[in-house]
Amino acid sequence: MDNDDRCCSTQLIDGDGMFNVAGLESFLKGVRLAECGLSYAIVSIMGPQSSGKSTLLNHLFGTNFREMDAFRGRSQTTKGIWLANCVGIEPCTLVMDLEGTDGRERGEDDTAFEKQSALFALAVSDIVLINMWCHDIGREQAANKPLLKTVFQVMMRLFSPRKTTLMFVIRDKTRTPLENLEPVLREDIQKIWDSVPKPQAHKDTPLSEFFNVEVVALSSYEEKEELFKEQVANLRQRFYQSIAPGGLAGDRRGVVPASGFSFSAQQIWQVIKENRDLDLPAHKVMVATVRCEEIANEKYSNFTQNQDWLQLEEASQSGPVAGFGKKLSAIIGNCLSEYDSEVIYFDEGVRTSKRRHLEDKLLQLVQPAFHSILGHVRSETVEKFKEAFDKALSSGEGFSAASHRCKQTFMNLFDEGCADAVIEQASWDTSKMRSKLVRDLDEYVATVRAAKLAELTSSYEAKLNEALAGPVEALLDGANDETWPSIKKLLRRETQSAVSGLANDLSGFDLDEATRGKMLARLEDYARGVVEGKAKEEAGKILIRMKDRFTMLFSHDSDSMPRVWTGKEDIKAITKLARSASLKLLSVLAAIRLDDESDDIDKTLVLALVDKSNSTDRSLTVSDPLASSSWEKVPSSKTLITPVQCKQLWRQFQMETEYTVSQAIAAQEASRRSNNWLPPPWAIAAMLILGFNEFMTLLRNPLYLLVLFVAFLVSKALWVQMDVSNEFRHGVLPGFLSLSTRVLPTVMNMLKNLAEQGNRPATAGAHTNPPLAANSFRGGVNSDGVSSTGSSHVTTNENGTEYSSASKED
């Protein structure tokens, strides 16, 4: 094989007529023709020797055929038949370059190879190029007229009529217009066609039913090379998509798939070589061949119209037919007996061959009905098996026992149906249909088994989910040291119960140990997954859970009653207790602890978040145990909350609970202030005992009472003016310092206002002052707190008003 960058070529048939099988196989692999399916075209060229056929193909299709060297004289260049692939043309197109005709190397009498090669080209090609000189049009030999006449005659008898495109390429076109040359050429071709003897069926068939005739003309390659190349480029466009309807190779009837081209070409060449029509075959064999074939065709036609056969064929489409094999065997036997009686005197080899061919055709004709019967028997067996199998399961029979019994019964039933359909003349194997039936039954059994097992597994999974989800959630919600041991105990108990039940139920399904073990393991994994999933769900709500637990323990006492902050509670201890309980919840949900391995998560959290925050020694530098992204002794797959996340959650938890603590402290301070206005009971009792003499003195001298009352009014006025309670809110020492700077200005202001009130007219004082004084007195006595309204009122009606009101009351 010769190869260049883009084109491959090989000698298909050498000059002695030997077919190059190995070369063709290698060539077809190189061009990957087998991948083309039916999308390929075959082009061949024939014509006189040294007429430029190879040159035309190389320019037209980009092939690499050897061309004649004009400087060495005109001689034979192409020997035999060469094959190459076209470059850049879709679909894949193969080109055959035939040995030139009328060459001096073969002589005048040796034209057999020329005829055979031309016949081969017409048999395998979609397009045949006839290369001829322009000045030879009208000549008998130069225009290949005798060769075409022989080819037409033999082609019609040996092969099925095929519409091939004959493209006559007129080379070295002269000034004579193509419109004048083409009618002459077409007229010559029609005369050849009319002179060829034809079978009765095609006696009046026009040439156009077998061939598409095209005529093109090209300028001289040597004298007008550029014009020649331009015309060839235009012609090349006609070969793109040549197999499309209306294209040069548009008739695709009888096209051999690309994967069978090699074998087809070999067989065609073998038939052409062995066909003695071109070499006048023996008369006896020829007659035997034609006559036996006619009789065989007649018997085949009679069989296709046999009413018994037609009834069997029709019945086979609707369902099984009783006695199908015996009835059809008898019909075929009668047909072959009639053939044998009519061909008994012909050549034995020919008649035997044609009888075998007839028998093959008859069996090929009835084979679809036979397969249809087998299909009906198989379908009916499958349906009956399904019905019987489902009924057996519904009645309570074990799955394994029911499947084995039903399968054996209905396989025997199928074998009986196959035996009834077997044809005597055929050796068809029913094992494939039987194997398919076995697969169908096994598939149905597997489907039912899978459905039953899925239903069984789902029921146990639902029971496990119901038995585990709620209790696990409750145990995690009340997190303590026994949470995970309790969960493990619960998981072990429920898993063992479910696995034991499933194992007992699986015993009737005829499962292998591996499958059974996998199903039990999946159930155990599912139970574990329920617990782990619930733990992950609770871990996702850890901050909310911690705050809820803190609020519950901080805001309620040991009896779960709302806590009243009276000032006697130890808020620090309560806060520590509530936060420790929340930290316990965090440590429990930090990791999944379903294995027996222990960990130090609880201690680590207490050390890092509680002990370290309470430590007073800040000088020591200790590494942060929560700076890692994983827990010690805990696999990452079991970690729900990493140490870093725990630290972040605790910090956020402290920030969000600090407000609750501050509110409690504020409530406690408010309660203390409300309870500290009176001295303790023991102080009141002491004052009563120790001040008894002073109290009796006051009762004996009422003037002291008047002085004390005036002092009370003055003190009350100073208390309100200086807002004493508000000043002491920031501490005792700051309160005294602030009041010491305000006492003297306040007293001076009160004396000034009192002097101004004494200088006012009596009438104005009599009508105006008493109501103001009374109002001021009521405002001062009745206000326990310090309000801005009360303060401004007292300031407006200072000493004079209050004191005059006091004298009137006295």
mmCIF file of all heavy atoms in Angstrom, residues 153-189:
data_model
loop_
_atom_site.group_PDB
_atom_site.id
_atom_site.type_symbol
_atom_site.label_atom_id
_atom_site.label_comp_id
_atom_site.label_asym_id
_atom_site.label_seq_id
_atom_site.Cartn_x
_atom_site.Cartn_y
_atom_site.Cartn_z
ATOM 1 N N GLN A 153 -24.990 -5.857 -21.983
ATOM 2 C CA GLN A 153 -25.677 -7.130 -22.182
ATOM 3 C C GLN A 153 -25.462 -8.066 -20.996
ATOM 4 O O GLN A 153 -26.403 -8.655 -20.471
ATOM 5 C CB GLN A 153 -25.168 -7.775 -23.488
ATOM 6 C CG GLN A 153 -25.855 -9.086 -23.817
ATOM 7 C CD GLN A 153 -25.366 -9.664 -25.144
ATOM 8 O OE1 GLN A 153 -24.494 -9.079 -25.781
ATOM 9 N NE2 GLN A 153 -25.927 -10.771 -25.545
ATOM 10 N N VAL A 154 -24.232 -8.230 -20.562
ATOM 11 C CA VAL A 154 -23.936 -9.157 -19.480
ATOM 12 C C VAL A 154 -24.423 -8.612 -18.139
ATOM 13 O O VAL A 154 -24.891 -9.353 -17.277
ATOM 14 C CB VAL A 154 -22.425 -9.453 -19.443
ATOM 15 C CG1 VAL A 154 -22.087 -10.410 -18.303
ATOM 16 C CG2 VAL A 154 -21.972 -10.027 -20.765
ATOM 17 N N MET A 155 -24.321 -7.313 -17.956
ATOM 18 C CA MET A 155 -24.731 -6.694 -16.684
ATOM 19 C C MET A 155 -26.208 -6.951 -16.397
ATOM 20 O O MET A 155 -26.596 -7.231 -15.274
ATOM 21 C CB MET A 155 -24.468 -5.188 -16.756
ATOM 22 C CG MET A 155 -24.905 -4.407 -15.537
ATOM 23 S SD MET A 155 -23.814 -4.684 -14.146
ATOM 24 C CE MET A 155 -24.508 -3.508 -12.992
ATOM 25 N N MET A 156 -27.053 -6.871 -17.425
ATOM 26 C CA MET A 156 -28.487 -7.052 -17.229
ATOM 27 C C MET A 156 -28.833 -8.479 -16.828
ATOM 28 O O MET A 156 -29.779 -8.710 -16.092
ATOM 29 C CB MET A 156 -29.245 -6.698 -18.511
ATOM 30 C CG MET A 156 -29.294 -5.205 -18.792
ATOM 31 S SD MET A 156 -30.445 -4.857 -20.098
ATOM 32 C CE MET A 156 -31.922 -5.492 -19.407
ATOM 33 N N ARG A 157 -28.058 -9.463 -17.256
ATOM 34 C CA ARG A 157 -28.402 -10.841 -16.967
ATOM 35 C C ARG A 157 -27.846 -11.317 -15.634
ATOM 36 O O ARG A 157 -28.473 -12.112 -14.939
ATOM 37 C CB ARG A 157 -27.882 -11.749 -18.091
ATOM 38 C CG ARG A 157 -28.545 -13.120 -18.083
ATOM 39 C CD ARG A 157 -27.908 -14.038 -19.091
ATOM 40 N NE ARG A 157 -26.531 -14.323 -18.785
ATOM 41 C CZ ARG A 157 -26.147 -15.208 -17.855
ATOM 42 N NH1 ARG A 157 -27.047 -15.847 -17.152
ATOM 43 N NH2 ARG A 157 -24.881 -15.424 -17.611
ATOM 44 N N LEU A 158 -26.679 -10.796 -15.264
ATOM 45 C CA LEU A 158 -26.033 -11.317 -14.070
ATOM 46 C C LEU A 158 -26.480 -10.614 -12.782
ATOM 47 O O LEU A 158 -26.524 -11.229 -11.727
ATOM 48 C CB LEU A 158 -24.509 -11.186 -14.190
ATOM 49 C CG LEU A 158 -23.837 -12.155 -15.157
ATOM 50 C CD1 LEU A 158 -22.338 -11.944 -15.141
ATOM 51 C CD2 LEU A 158 -24.161 -13.592 -14.791
ATOM 52 N N PHE A 159 -26.761 -9.346 -12.872
ATOM 53 C CA PHE A 159 -27.013 -8.587 -11.659
ATOM 54 C C PHE A 159 -28.383 -7.920 -11.712
ATOM 55 O O PHE A 159 -28.954 -7.729 -12.759
ATOM 56 C CB PHE A 159 -25.939 -7.504 -11.468
ATOM 57 C CG PHE A 159 -24.557 -8.051 -11.420
ATOM 58 C CD1 PHE A 159 -23.783 -8.100 -12.563
ATOM 59 C CD2 PHE A 159 -24.021 -8.531 -10.247
ATOM 60 C CE1 PHE A 159 -22.500 -8.601 -12.525
ATOM 61 C CE2 PHE A 159 -22.742 -9.031 -10.202
ATOM 62 C CZ PHE A 159 -21.973 -9.076 -11.352
ATOM 63 N N SER A 160 -28.872 -7.587 -10.510
ATOM 64 C CA SER A 160 -30.130 -6.847 -10.431
ATOM 65 C C SER A 160 -29.928 -5.469 -11.053
ATOM 66 O O SER A 160 -28.869 -4.858 -10.906
ATOM 67 C CB SER A 160 -30.574 -6.689 -8.967
ATOM 68 O OG SER A 160 -30.770 -7.954 -8.385
ATOM 69 N N PRO A 161 -30.933 -4.993 -11.748
ATOM 70 C CA PRO A 161 -30.787 -3.670 -12.373
ATOM 71 C C PRO A 161 -30.486 -2.609 -11.318
ATOM 72 O O PRO A 161 -31.158 -2.511 -10.293
ATOM 73 C CB PRO A 161 -32.157 -3.438 -13.020
ATOM 74 C CG PRO A 161 -32.731 -4.806 -13.191
ATOM 75 C CD PRO A 161 -32.222 -5.613 -12.043
ATOM 76 N N ARG A 162 -29.470 -1.838 -11.592
ATOM 77 C CA ARG A 162 -29.068 -0.806 -10.657
ATOM 78 C C ARG A 162 -28.824 0.475 -11.426
ATOM 79 O O ARG A 162 -28.167 0.471 -12.461
ATOM 80 C CB ARG A 162 -27.786 -1.217 -9.933
ATOM 81 C CG ARG A 162 -27.317 -0.213 -8.898
ATOM 82 C CD ARG A 162 -26.037 -0.702 -8.257
ATOM 83 N NE ARG A 162 -25.565 0.203 -7.237
ATOM 84 C CZ ARG A 162 -24.422 0.056 -6.590
ATOM 85 N NH1 ARG A 162 -23.654 -0.974 -6.865
ATOM 86 N NH2 ARG A 162 -24.066 0.921 -5.667
ATOM 87 N N LYS A 163 -29.369 1.561 -10.913
ATOM 88 C CA LYS A 163 -29.267 2.833 -11.627
ATOM 89 C C LYS A 163 -27.913 3.459 -11.339
ATOM 90 O O LYS A 163 -27.691 4.047 -10.286
ATOM 91 C CB LYS A 163 -30.401 3.767 -11.210
ATOM 92 C CG LYS A 163 -30.691 4.847 -12.242
ATOM 93 C CD LYS A 163 -32.026 5.490 -11.982
ATOM 94 C CE LYS A 163 -32.392 6.448 -13.108
ATOM 95 N NZ LYS A 163 -33.697 7.064 -12.906
ATOM 96 N N THR A 164 -27.007 3.310 -12.298
ATOM 97 C CA THR A 164 -25.643 3.808 -12.164
ATOM 98 C C THR A 164 -25.484 5.056 -13.023
ATOM 99 O O THR A 164 -26.081 5.182 -14.091
ATOM 100 C CB THR A 164 -24.636 2.733 -12.610
ATOM 101 O OG1 THR A 164 -24.883 1.540 -11.864
ATOM 102 C CG2 THR A 164 -23.209 3.182 -12.386
ATOM 103 N N THR A 165 -24.661 5.991 -12.523
ATOM 104 C CA THR A 165 -24.404 7.212 -13.287
ATOM 105 C C THR A 165 -23.204 6.985 -14.199
ATOM 106 O O THR A 165 -22.120 6.627 -13.730
ATOM 107 C CB THR A 165 -24.126 8.401 -12.335
ATOM 108 O OG1 THR A 165 -25.284 8.649 -11.571
ATOM 109 C CG2 THR A 165 -23.770 9.650 -13.136
ATOM 110 N N LEU A 166 -23.412 7.160 -15.501
ATOM 111 C CA LEU A 166 -22.329 7.103 -16.487
ATOM 112 C C LEU A 166 -21.984 8.543 -16.873
ATOM 113 O O LEU A 166 -22.795 9.244 -17.473
ATOM 114 C CB LEU A 166 -22.752 6.315 -17.727
ATOM 115 C CG LEU A 166 -23.025 4.816 -17.540
ATOM 116 C CD1 LEU A 166 -23.426 4.201 -18.872
ATOM 117 C CD2 LEU A 166 -21.805 4.118 -16.986
ATOM 118 N N MET A 167 -20.779 8.980 -16.500
ATOM 119 C CA MET A 167 -20.358 10.351 -16.807
ATOM 120 C C MET A 167 -19.256 10.288 -17.857
ATOM 121 O O MET A 167 -18.153 9.821 -17.594
ATOM 122 C CB MET A 167 -19.859 11.063 -15.542
ATOM 123 C CG MET A 167 -19.386 12.487 -15.818
ATOM 124 S SD MET A 167 -18.945 13.362 -14.295
ATOM 125 C CE MET A 167 -20.552 13.673 -13.625
ATOM 126 N N PHE A 168 -19.600 10.738 -19.059
ATOM 127 C CA PHE A 168 -18.633 10.783 -20.152
ATOM 128 C C PHE A 168 -17.838 12.072 -20.032
ATOM 129 O O PHE A 168 -18.409 13.175 -20.082
ATOM 130 C CB PHE A 168 -19.341 10.687 -21.508
ATOM 131 C CG PHE A 168 -19.922 9.332 -21.777
ATOM 132 C CD1 PHE A 168 -21.183 8.983 -21.290
ATOM 133 C CD2 PHE A 168 -19.198 8.395 -22.494
ATOM 134 C CE1 PHE A 168 -21.711 7.740 -21.530
ATOM 135 C CE2 PHE A 168 -19.745 7.144 -22.742
ATOM 136 C CZ PHE A 168 -20.994 6.806 -22.254
ATOM 137 N N VAL A 169 -16.515 11.944 -19.882
ATOM 138 C CA VAL A 169 -15.622 13.101 -19.730
ATOM 139 C C VAL A 169 -14.888 13.294 -21.054
ATOM 140 O O VAL A 169 -14.050 12.462 -21.448
ATOM 141 C CB VAL A 169 -14.626 12.884 -18.578
ATOM 142 C CG1 VAL A 169 -13.750 14.115 -18.414
ATOM 143 C CG2 VAL A 169 -15.372 12.580 -17.284
ATOM 144 N N ILE A 170 -15.214 14.356 -21.747
ATOM 145 C CA ILE A 170 -14.594 14.672 -23.047
ATOM 146 C C ILE A 170 -13.331 15.477 -22.771
ATOM 147 O O ILE A 170 -13.386 16.571 -22.202
ATOM 148 C CB ILE A 170 -15.566 15.461 -23.935
ATOM 149 C CG1 ILE A 170 -16.838 14.644 -24.152
ATOM 150 C CG2 ILE A 170 -14.909 15.814 -25.259
ATOM 151 C CD1 ILE A 170 -17.912 15.405 -24.914
ATOM 152 N N ARG A 171 -12.167 14.923 -23.145
ATOM 153 C CA ARG A 171 -10.876 15.556 -22.858
ATOM 154 C C ARG A 171 -10.403 16.364 -24.065
ATOM 155 O O ARG A 171 -10.738 16.100 -25.221
ATOM 156 C CB ARG A 171 -9.842 14.477 -22.519
ATOM 157 C CG ARG A 171 -10.240 13.587 -21.355
ATOM 158 C CD ARG A 171 -10.239 14.367 -20.053
ATOM 159 N NE ARG A 171 -8.940 14.867 -19.720
ATOM 160 C CZ ARG A 171 -7.992 14.172 -19.078
ATOM 161 N NH1 ARG A 171 -8.275 12.939 -18.699
ATOM 162 N NH2 ARG A 171 -6.816 14.697 -18.832
ATOM 163 N N ASP A 172 -9.608 17.372 -23.762
ATOM 164 C CA ASP A 172 -9.011 18.266 -24.766
ATOM 165 C C ASP A 172 -10.087 18.846 -25.686
ATOM 166 O O ASP A 172 -10.037 18.742 -26.924
ATOM 167 C CB ASP A 172 -7.962 17.527 -25.603
ATOM 168 C CG ASP A 172 -6.757 17.144 -24.764
ATOM 169 O OD1 ASP A 172 -6.733 17.519 -23.566
ATOM 170 O OD2 ASP A 172 -5.850 16.475 -25.282
ATOM 171 N N LYS A 173 -11.086 19.442 -25.036
ATOM 172 C CA LYS A 173 -12.210 20.016 -25.774
ATOM 173 C C LYS A 173 -11.716 21.071 -26.767
ATOM 174 O O LYS A 173 -10.894 21.920 -26.450
ATOM 175 C CB LYS A 173 -13.199 20.636 -24.779
ATOM 176 C CG LYS A 173 -14.377 21.321 -25.436
ATOM 177 C CD LYS A 173 -15.281 21.903 -24.384
ATOM 178 C CE LYS A 173 -16.388 22.736 -25.038
ATOM 179 N NZ LYS A 173 -15.848 23.864 -25.792
ATOM 180 N N THR A 174 -12.267 20.970 -27.982
ATOM 181 C CA THR A 174 -11.919 21.938 -29.031
ATOM 182 C C THR A 174 -12.911 23.084 -29.013
ATOM 183 O O THR A 174 -13.678 23.241 -28.060
ATOM 184 C CB THR A 174 -11.926 21.237 -30.399
ATOM 185 O OG1 THR A 174 -13.240 20.716 -30.644
ATOM 186 C CG2 THR A 174 -10.917 20.087 -30.412
ATOM 187 N N ARG A 175 -12.940 23.819 -30.076
ATOM 188 C CA ARG A 175 -13.861 24.953 -30.150
ATOM 189 C C ARG A 175 -15.295 24.505 -30.356
ATOM 190 O O ARG A 175 -16.216 25.308 -30.231
ATOM 191 C CB ARG A 175 -13.438 25.888 -31.292
ATOM 192 C CG ARG A 175 -12.100 26.574 -31.044
ATOM 193 C CD ARG A 175 -11.774 27.530 -32.189
ATOM 194 N NE ARG A 175 -10.515 28.222 -31.929
ATOM 195 C CZ ARG A 175 -9.980 29.117 -32.771
ATOM 196 N NH1 ARG A 175 -10.625 29.401 -33.911
ATOM 197 N NH2 ARG A 175 -8.839 29.694 -32.458
ATOM 198 N N THR A 176 -15.487 23.256 -30.718
ATOM 199 C CA THR A 176 -16.857 22.780 -30.926
ATOM 200 C C THR A 176 -17.624 22.856 -29.606
ATOM 201 O O THR A 176 -17.178 22.298 -28.597
ATOM 202 C CB THR A 176 -16.865 21.345 -31.435
ATOM 203 O OG1 THR A 176 -16.068 21.264 -32.622
ATOM 204 C CG2 THR A 176 -18.285 20.871 -31.712
ATOM 205 N N PRO A 177 -18.730 23.537 -29.569
ATOM 206 C CA PRO A 177 -19.460 23.673 -28.295
ATOM 207 C C PRO A 177 -19.921 22.317 -27.785
ATOM 208 O O PRO A 177 -20.206 21.393 -28.554
ATOM 209 C CB PRO A 177 -20.653 24.569 -28.649
ATOM 210 C CG PRO A 177 -20.257 25.264 -29.903
ATOM 211 C CD PRO A 177 -19.377 24.302 -30.656
ATOM 212 N N LEU A 178 -19.983 22.226 -26.438
ATOM 213 C CA LEU A 178 -20.449 20.994 -25.798
ATOM 214 C C LEU A 178 -21.894 20.702 -26.204
ATOM 215 O O LEU A 178 -22.285 19.534 -26.315
ATOM 216 C CB LEU A 178 -20.334 21.116 -24.272
ATOM 217 C CG LEU A 178 -20.810 19.903 -23.463
ATOM 218 C CD1 LEU A 178 -19.979 18.673 -23.798
ATOM 219 C CD2 LEU A 178 -20.750 20.215 -21.968
ATOM 220 N N GLU A 179 -22.683 21.730 -26.468
ATOM 221 C CA GLU A 179 -24.077 21.535 -26.853
ATOM 222 C C GLU A 179 -24.193 20.778 -28.171
ATOM 223 O O GLU A 179 -25.203 20.107 -28.422
ATOM 224 C CB GLU A 179 -24.796 22.883 -26.976
ATOM 225 C CG GLU A 179 -24.978 23.615 -25.656
ATOM 226 C CD GLU A 179 -23.701 24.313 -25.224
ATOM 227 O OE1 GLU A 179 -22.715 24.286 -25.988
ATOM 228 O OE2 GLU A 179 -23.699 24.868 -24.098
ATOM 229 N N ASN A 180 -23.125 20.829 -28.991
ATOM 230 C CA ASN A 180 -23.141 20.112 -30.263
ATOM 231 C C ASN A 180 -22.562 18.701 -30.119
ATOM 232 O O ASN A 180 -22.911 17.792 -30.882
ATOM 233 C CB ASN A 180 -22.352 20.880 -31.327
ATOM 234 C CG ASN A 180 -23.000 22.225 -31.646
ATOM 235 O OD1 ASN A 180 -24.204 22.411 -31.408
ATOM 236 N ND2 ASN A 180 -22.223 23.178 -32.165
ATOM 237 N N LEU A 181 -21.634 18.542 -29.179
ATOM 238 C CA LEU A 181 -21.014 17.234 -28.998
ATOM 239 C C LEU A 181 -21.915 16.280 -28.220
ATOM 240 O O LEU A 181 -21.966 15.079 -28.501
ATOM 241 C CB LEU A 181 -19.670 17.387 -28.256
ATOM 242 C CG LEU A 181 -18.573 18.155 -28.999
ATOM 243 C CD1 LEU A 181 -17.372 18.356 -28.090
ATOM 244 C CD2 LEU A 181 -18.157 17.389 -30.253
ATOM 245 N N GLU A 182 -22.619 16.785 -27.211
ATOM 246 C CA GLU A 182 -23.386 15.933 -26.308
ATOM 247 C C GLU A 182 -24.494 15.170 -27.029
ATOM 248 O O GLU A 182 -24.657 13.957 -26.800
ATOM 249 C CB GLU A 182 -23.973 16.765 -25.157
ATOM 250 C CG GLU A 182 -24.731 15.926 -24.148
ATOM 251 C CD GLU A 182 -25.179 16.755 -22.948
ATOM 252 O OE1 GLU A 182 -24.785 17.944 -22.862
ATOM 253 O OE2 GLU A 182 -25.921 16.200 -22.106
ATOM 254 N N PRO A 183 -25.293 15.772 -27.927
ATOM 255 C CA PRO A 183 -26.346 14.993 -28.607
ATOM 256 C C PRO A 183 -25.791 13.821 -29.413
ATOM 257 O O PRO A 183 -26.388 12.747 -29.453
ATOM 258 C CB PRO A 183 -27.022 16.024 -29.503
ATOM 259 C CG PRO A 183 -26.737 17.341 -28.847
ATOM 260 C CD PRO A 183 -25.370 17.202 -28.267
ATOM 261 N N VAL A 184 -24.624 14.027 -30.046
ATOM 262 C CA VAL A 184 -24.038 12.948 -30.836
ATOM 263 C C VAL A 184 -23.670 11.785 -29.935
ATOM 264 O O VAL A 184 -23.939 10.603 -30.247
ATOM 265 C CB VAL A 184 -22.799 13.463 -31.597
ATOM 266 C CG1 VAL A 184 -22.131 12.324 -32.366
ATOM 267 C CG2 VAL A 184 -23.202 14.586 -32.558
ATOM 268 N N LEU A 185 -23.046 12.108 -28.793
ATOM 269 C CA LEU A 185 -22.630 11.068 -27.865
ATOM 270 C C LEU A 185 -23.828 10.327 -27.289
ATOM 271 O O LEU A 185 -23.832 9.097 -27.179
ATOM 272 C CB LEU A 185 -21.790 11.695 -26.748
ATOM 273 C CG LEU A 185 -21.095 10.733 -25.791
ATOM 274 C CD1 LEU A 185 -20.187 9.771 -26.554
ATOM 275 C CD2 LEU A 185 -20.312 11.496 -24.742
ATOM 276 N N ARG A 186 -24.859 11.051 -26.916
ATOM 277 C CA ARG A 186 -26.053 10.417 -26.338
ATOM 278 C C ARG A 186 -26.755 9.535 -27.368
ATOM 279 O O ARG A 186 -27.311 8.477 -27.037
ATOM 280 C CB ARG A 186 -27.018 11.474 -25.810
ATOM 281 C CG ARG A 186 -26.544 12.142 -24.528
ATOM 282 C CD ARG A 186 -27.572 13.129 -23.998
ATOM 283 N NE ARG A 186 -27.165 13.719 -22.748
ATOM 284 C CZ ARG A 186 -27.393 13.196 -21.545
ATOM 285 N NH1 ARG A 186 -28.051 12.038 -21.470
ATOM 286 N NH2 ARG A 186 -26.978 13.778 -20.449
ATOM 287 N N GLU A 187 -26.728 9.953 -28.601
ATOM 288 C CA GLU A 187 -27.363 9.160 -29.653
ATOM 289 C C GLU A 187 -26.626 7.834 -29.834
ATOM 290 O O GLU A 187 -27.247 6.772 -29.997
ATOM 291 C CB GLU A 187 -27.360 9.947 -30.965
ATOM 292 C CG GLU A 187 -28.081 9.219 -32.102
ATOM 293 C CD GLU A 187 -28.071 10.042 -33.390
ATOM 294 O OE1 GLU A 187 -27.597 11.210 -33.328
ATOM 295 O OE2 GLU A 187 -28.527 9.524 -34.419
ATOM 296 N N ASP A 188 -25.278 7.872 -29.779
ATOM 297 C CA ASP A 188 -24.500 6.641 -29.901
ATOM 298 C C ASP A 188 -24.794 5.688 -28.745
ATOM 299 O O ASP A 188 -24.919 4.471 -28.928
ATOM 300 C CB ASP A 188 -23.004 6.956 -29.938
ATOM 301 C CG ASP A 188 -22.608 7.696 -31.218
ATOM 302 O OD1 ASP A 188 -23.400 7.633 -32.179
ATOM 303 O OD2 ASP A 188 -21.544 8.334 -31.231
ATOM 304 N N ILE A 189 -24.899 6.258 -27.511
ATOM 305 C CA ILE A 189 -25.166 5.424 -26.337
ATOM 306 C C ILE A 189 -26.547 4.776 -26.448
ATOM 307 O O ILE A 189 -26.732 3.584 -26.147
ATOM 308 C CB ILE A 189 -25.066 6.268 -25.048
ATOM 309 C CG1 ILE A 189 -23.632 6.773 -24.867
ATOM 310 C CG2 ILE A 189 -25.503 5.467 -23.823
ATOM 311 C CD1 ILE A 189 -23.486 7.789 -23.755
#
